[in-house]
Amino acid sequence: MIYFFRRFKGSGFRMTLARDEIYKLLQRERHLSAEEIYFEIHKNYPNIGIATVYRTLNLLTDFGVIKRREFGDGKARYEISEIEH
């Protein structure tokens, strides 16, 4: 997790609630779709919208913190990058 915070801080990004919660969720569970991530986080934080989840997933993917995976079912799924394990 330290790697994650350093990457953001060094690039001028803030650590937001959405970023933190998505990262924590993906540490516990692998291969979640954006919708699954949204529904899980929305239980505790109803003000977080699906668009925020998509933007956060794109940002975390661009930074190499998480990986986007395709399993042939038409849905992208996400997991923590190998460098994070």
Side-chain angles (χ1 to χ4, degrees):
M1 188 135 159
I2 293 169
Y3 172 79
F4 175 58
F5 289 119
R6 272 192 259 156
R7 292 275 317 236
F8 269 78
K9 194 172 185 179
S11 298
F13 286 94
R14 292 182 314 119
M15 181 49 111
T16 65
L17 175 67
R19 293 171 187 163
D20 187 46
E21 290 301 312
I22 289 171
Y23 183 81
K24 285 184 208 174
L25 179 59
L26 289 173
Q27 281 184 311
R28 292 189 312 264
E29 299 184 42
R30 296 182 68 178
H31 304 134
L32 295 176
S33 70
E35 293 83 9
E36 291 167 329
I37 292 167
Y38 167 73
F39 286 122
E40 190 62 34
I41 292 174
H42 190 75
K43 290 176 190 176
N44 295 321
Y45 302 99
N47 292 332
I48 291 178
I50 188 74
T52 299
V53 171
Y54 278 109
R55 279 192 306 271
T56 301
L57 289 171
N58 287 334
L59 182 65
L60 295 178
T61 301
D62 290 346
F63 269 86
V65 174
I66 64 173
K67 282 200 273 190
R68 178 186 165 123
R69 311 273 268 170
E70 302 282 339
F71 294 102
D73 63 355
K75 281 189 175 185
R77 301 194 184 278
Y78 298 87
E79 66 180 28
I80 300 291
S81 293
E82 292 300 317
I83 197 163
E84 289 290 308
H85 288 285

